[in-house]
Amino acid sequence: NRNIAQSRKSFNLTNSRLKNEDLVVFRKLRKFSSNQSSLSVILYSHSYNYLPYEKKLALREVAAIPQIRYVSLKPNEISITLPKKYKSKLKDLVYFYSFQVGNGNIEKTLQAKLENGTTSEIRAKKKQATRYGVHGLHDYKGKFNPQIVRGILNTYGIDSSSRVLDPFCGSGTTLIESTIAGSQSIGWDLNPFAIYLSNAKISILHSHPDKLSILSKNILSRY
């Protein structure tokens, strides 16, 4: 049951006195086989504050895991149960910093490593990082957070068998996140600089770190 705002009432005069309405929501439940080996998992949020839409995306990417069951929702963590064969999907969650399976060790997600580094000395940042990796090579107007892209990819189950098309690729945020997810992607844009920038970022992702280190040292030695 919810109240009806004055600005949202029906034009039908017979309904003009209605102050509230009842909604019935039908949901198709996922089948969960009790014969499958299941895992109890706790998902821990990032330390920074989430925007309202990010909270929704976080729930959606978790709900996209096949045959997952919610156990409890808390401000900074979610407890779920999922089949053992889908454990590998936990590391790909973008709106969670880490996870713990049973009484095991707490493991960082790939997103946490991208934003904060991989060493234990580096603490989680209090502000969401959007310029990690090649995303920070250039500030592009109209660019949106890479976390949004990855969250959507997780929600729709995009993986290495999928192909992603971006007809307005801009600085290549979608193409980069699709590449990190292991899927094939292609994009185009009317702006020649956007194409140049996107190709530069993608080429770095496919380059060996040692080669990039040697090139950077050669460049610095000239100045």
PDB file of all heavy atoms in Angstrom, residues 191-207:
ATOM      1  N   ASN A 191      34.192  11.321 -33.245  1.00  0.00           N
ATOM      2  CA  ASN A 191      35.351  12.116 -32.853  1.00  0.00           C
ATOM      3  C   ASN A 191      36.636  11.315 -33.079  1.00  0.00           C
ATOM      4  O   ASN A 191      36.855  10.306 -32.420  1.00  0.00           O
ATOM      5  CB  ASN A 191      35.224  12.503 -31.374  1.00  0.00           C
ATOM      6  CG  ASN A 191      36.299  13.486 -30.937  1.00  0.00           C
ATOM      7  OD1 ASN A 191      37.313  13.654 -31.601  1.00  0.00           O
ATOM      8  ND2 ASN A 191      36.059  14.143 -29.820  1.00  0.00           N
ATOM      9  N   PRO A 192      37.515  11.773 -33.986  1.00  0.00           N
ATOM     10  CA  PRO A 192      38.764  11.036 -34.256  1.00  0.00           C
ATOM     11  C   PRO A 192      39.636  10.887 -33.014  1.00  0.00           C
ATOM     12  O   PRO A 192      40.295   9.866 -32.837  1.00  0.00           O
ATOM     13  CB  PRO A 192      39.462  11.897 -35.317  1.00  0.00           C
ATOM     14  CG  PRO A 192      38.366  12.689 -35.949  1.00  0.00           C
ATOM     15  CD  PRO A 192      37.373  12.951 -34.850  1.00  0.00           C
ATOM     16  N   PHE A 193      39.636  11.911 -32.154  1.00  0.00           N
ATOM     17  CA  PHE A 193      40.447  11.824 -30.941  1.00  0.00           C
ATOM     18  C   PHE A 193      39.923  10.739 -30.012  1.00  0.00           C
ATOM     19  O   PHE A 193      40.701  10.061 -29.325  1.00  0.00           O
ATOM     20  CB  PHE A 193      40.469  13.165 -30.208  1.00  0.00           C
ATOM     21  CG  PHE A 193      41.251  13.127 -28.935  1.00  0.00           C
ATOM     22  CD1 PHE A 193      42.637  13.021 -28.941  1.00  0.00           C
ATOM     23  CD2 PHE A 193      40.609  13.180 -27.704  1.00  0.00           C
ATOM     24  CE1 PHE A 193      43.361  12.972 -27.763  1.00  0.00           C
ATOM     25  CE2 PHE A 193      41.327  13.123 -26.516  1.00  0.00           C
ATOM     26  CZ  PHE A 193      42.706  13.030 -26.546  1.00  0.00           C
ATOM     27  N   ALA A 194      38.586  10.573 -29.965  1.00  0.00           N
ATOM     28  CA  ALA A 194      37.995   9.529 -29.134  1.00  0.00           C
ATOM     29  C   ALA A 194      38.477   8.157 -29.594  1.00  0.00           C
ATOM     30  O   ALA A 194      38.790   7.289 -28.768  1.00  0.00           O
ATOM     31  CB  ALA A 194      36.472   9.612 -29.189  1.00  0.00           C
ATOM     32  N   ILE A 195      38.533   7.953 -30.902  1.00  0.00           N
ATOM     33  CA  ILE A 195      39.011   6.675 -31.447  1.00  0.00           C
ATOM     34  C   ILE A 195      40.482   6.461 -31.106  1.00  0.00           C
ATOM     35  O   ILE A 195      40.892   5.370 -30.698  1.00  0.00           O
ATOM     36  CB  ILE A 195      38.813   6.638 -32.972  1.00  0.00           C
ATOM     37  CG1 ILE A 195      37.325   6.770 -33.321  1.00  0.00           C
ATOM     38  CG2 ILE A 195      39.390   5.362 -33.567  1.00  0.00           C
ATOM     39  CD1 ILE A 195      36.458   5.685 -32.754  1.00  0.00           C
ATOM     40  N   TYR A 196      41.276   7.537 -31.266  1.00  0.00           N
ATOM     41  CA  TYR A 196      42.706   7.455 -30.948  1.00  0.00           C
ATOM     42  C   TYR A 196      42.911   7.103 -29.479  1.00  0.00           C
ATOM     43  O   TYR A 196      43.722   6.233 -29.140  1.00  0.00           O
ATOM     44  CB  TYR A 196      43.373   8.792 -31.273  1.00  0.00           C
ATOM     45  CG  TYR A 196      44.831   8.872 -30.886  1.00  0.00           C
ATOM     46  CD1 TYR A 196      45.828   8.337 -31.705  1.00  0.00           C
ATOM     47  CD2 TYR A 196      45.217   9.479 -29.685  1.00  0.00           C
ATOM     48  CE1 TYR A 196      47.159   8.411 -31.341  1.00  0.00           C
ATOM     49  CE2 TYR A 196      46.539   9.550 -29.317  1.00  0.00           C
ATOM     50  CZ  TYR A 196      47.510   9.018 -30.143  1.00  0.00           C
ATOM     51  OH  TYR A 196      48.826   9.088 -29.775  1.00  0.00           O
ATOM     52  N   LEU A 197      42.150   7.774 -28.605  1.00  0.00           N
ATOM     53  CA  LEU A 197      42.275   7.556 -27.167  1.00  0.00           C
ATOM     54  C   LEU A 197      41.842   6.148 -26.769  1.00  0.00           C
ATOM     55  O   LEU A 197      42.511   5.473 -25.979  1.00  0.00           O
ATOM     56  CB  LEU A 197      41.449   8.597 -26.421  1.00  0.00           C
ATOM     57  CG  LEU A 197      41.530   8.611 -24.894  1.00  0.00           C
ATOM     58  CD1 LEU A 197      42.965   8.856 -24.444  1.00  0.00           C
ATOM     59  CD2 LEU A 197      40.621   9.696 -24.332  1.00  0.00           C
ATOM     60  N   SER A 198      40.731   5.686 -27.335  1.00  0.00           N
ATOM     61  CA  SER A 198      40.231   4.350 -27.015  1.00  0.00           C
ATOM     62  C   SER A 198      41.221   3.269 -27.453  1.00  0.00           C
ATOM     63  O   SER A 198      41.503   2.325 -26.702  1.00  0.00           O
ATOM     64  CB  SER A 198      38.872   4.118 -27.692  1.00  0.00           C
ATOM     65  OG  SER A 198      37.900   5.001 -27.185  1.00  0.00           O
ATOM     66  N   ASN A 199      41.759   3.423 -28.659  1.00  0.00           N
ATOM     67  CA  ASN A 199      42.721   2.437 -29.167  1.00  0.00           C
ATOM     68  C   ASN A 199      43.996   2.434 -28.325  1.00  0.00           C
ATOM     69  O   ASN A 199      44.599   1.375 -28.094  1.00  0.00           O
ATOM     70  CB  ASN A 199      43.060   2.729 -30.625  1.00  0.00           C
ATOM     71  CG  ASN A 199      41.959   2.286 -31.564  1.00  0.00           C
ATOM     72  OD1 ASN A 199      41.271   1.303 -31.309  1.00  0.00           O
ATOM     73  ND2 ASN A 199      41.770   3.008 -32.655  1.00  0.00           N
ATOM     74  N   ALA A 200      44.412   3.614 -27.860  1.00  0.00           N
ATOM     75  CA  ALA A 200      45.617   3.695 -27.033  1.00  0.00           C
ATOM     76  C   ALA A 200      45.417   2.957 -25.718  1.00  0.00           C
ATOM     77  O   ALA A 200      46.283   2.198 -25.269  1.00  0.00           O
ATOM     78  CB  ALA A 200      45.966   5.157 -26.771  1.00  0.00           C
ATOM     79  N   LYS A 201      44.266   3.159 -25.089  1.00  0.00           N
ATOM     80  CA  LYS A 201      43.981   2.498 -23.817  1.00  0.00           C
ATOM     81  C   LYS A 201      43.898   0.986 -23.987  1.00  0.00           C
ATOM     82  O   LYS A 201      44.443   0.221 -23.183  1.00  0.00           O
ATOM     83  CB  LYS A 201      42.670   3.032 -23.235  1.00  0.00           C
ATOM     84  CG  LYS A 201      42.732   4.472 -22.768  1.00  0.00           C
ATOM     85  CD  LYS A 201      41.390   4.913 -22.218  1.00  0.00           C
ATOM     86  CE  LYS A 201      41.431   6.329 -21.682  1.00  0.00           C
ATOM     87  NZ  LYS A 201      40.114   6.770 -21.160  1.00  0.00           N
ATOM     88  N   ILE A 202      43.208   0.550 -25.027  1.00  0.00           N
ATOM     89  CA  ILE A 202      43.046  -0.891 -25.243  1.00  0.00           C
ATOM     90  C   ILE A 202      44.375  -1.553 -25.560  1.00  0.00           C
ATOM     91  O   ILE A 202      44.662  -2.676 -25.118  1.00  0.00           O
ATOM     92  CB  ILE A 202      42.025  -1.144 -26.369  1.00  0.00           C
ATOM     93  CG1 ILE A 202      40.632  -0.664 -25.926  1.00  0.00           C
ATOM     94  CG2 ILE A 202      41.971  -2.624 -26.741  1.00  0.00           C
ATOM     95  CD1 ILE A 202      39.587  -0.730 -27.014  1.00  0.00           C
ATOM     96  N   SER A 203      45.229  -0.858 -26.332  1.00  0.00           N
ATOM     97  CA  SER A 203      46.540  -1.435 -26.679  1.00  0.00           C
ATOM     98  C   SER A 203      47.391  -1.623 -25.433  1.00  0.00           C
ATOM     99  O   SER A 203      48.178  -2.569 -25.337  1.00  0.00           O
ATOM    100  CB  SER A 203      47.266  -0.537 -27.694  1.00  0.00           C
ATOM    101  OG  SER A 203      47.573   0.731 -27.119  1.00  0.00           O
ATOM    102  N   ILE A 204      47.240  -0.716 -24.446  1.00  0.00           N
ATOM    103  CA  ILE A 204      47.996  -0.858 -23.196  1.00  0.00           C
ATOM    104  C   ILE A 204      47.539  -2.106 -22.439  1.00  0.00           C
ATOM    105  O   ILE A 204      48.364  -2.835 -21.873  1.00  0.00           O
ATOM    106  CB  ILE A 204      47.804   0.395 -22.317  1.00  0.00           C
ATOM    107  CG1 ILE A 204      48.483   1.600 -22.978  1.00  0.00           C
ATOM    108  CG2 ILE A 204      48.392   0.182 -20.924  1.00  0.00           C
ATOM    109  CD1 ILE A 204      48.288   2.893 -22.234  1.00  0.00           C
ATOM    110  N   LEU A 205      46.229  -2.366 -22.454  1.00  0.00           N
ATOM    111  CA  LEU A 205      45.720  -3.552 -21.757  1.00  0.00           C
ATOM    112  C   LEU A 205      46.283  -4.842 -22.336  1.00  0.00           C
ATOM    113  O   LEU A 205      46.416  -5.840 -21.621  1.00  0.00           O
ATOM    114  CB  LEU A 205      44.185  -3.581 -21.837  1.00  0.00           C
ATOM    115  CG  LEU A 205      43.426  -2.516 -21.045  1.00  0.00           C
ATOM    116  CD1 LEU A 205      41.930  -2.674 -21.254  1.00  0.00           C
ATOM    117  CD2 LEU A 205      43.761  -2.593 -19.565  1.00  0.00           C
ATOM    118  N   HIS A 206      46.609  -4.820 -23.612  1.00  0.00           N
ATOM    119  CA  HIS A 206      47.132  -6.018 -24.273  1.00  0.00           C
ATOM    120  C   HIS A 206      48.665  -6.033 -24.325  1.00  0.00           C
ATOM    121  O   HIS A 206      49.252  -6.911 -24.958  1.00  0.00           O
ATOM    122  CB  HIS A 206      46.564  -6.128 -25.690  1.00  0.00           C
ATOM    123  CG  HIS A 206      45.086  -6.400 -25.729  1.00  0.00           C
ATOM    124  ND1 HIS A 206      44.540  -7.619 -25.395  1.00  0.00           N
ATOM    125  CD2 HIS A 206      44.041  -5.593 -26.032  1.00  0.00           C
ATOM    126  CE1 HIS A 206      43.219  -7.568 -25.502  1.00  0.00           C
ATOM    127  NE2 HIS A 206      42.900  -6.349 -25.889  1.00  0.00           N
ATOM    128  N   SER A 207      49.312  -5.056 -23.693  1.00  0.00           N
ATOM    129  CA  SER A 207      50.777  -4.977 -23.699  1.00  0.00           C
ATOM    130  C   SER A 207      51.347  -5.594 -22.430  1.00  0.00           C
ATOM    131  O   SER A 207      50.729  -5.546 -21.370  1.00  0.00           O
ATOM    132  CB  SER A 207      51.227  -3.511 -23.809  1.00  0.00           C
ATOM    133  OG  SER A 207      50.729  -2.904 -24.990  1.00  0.00           O
TER     134      SER A 207
END
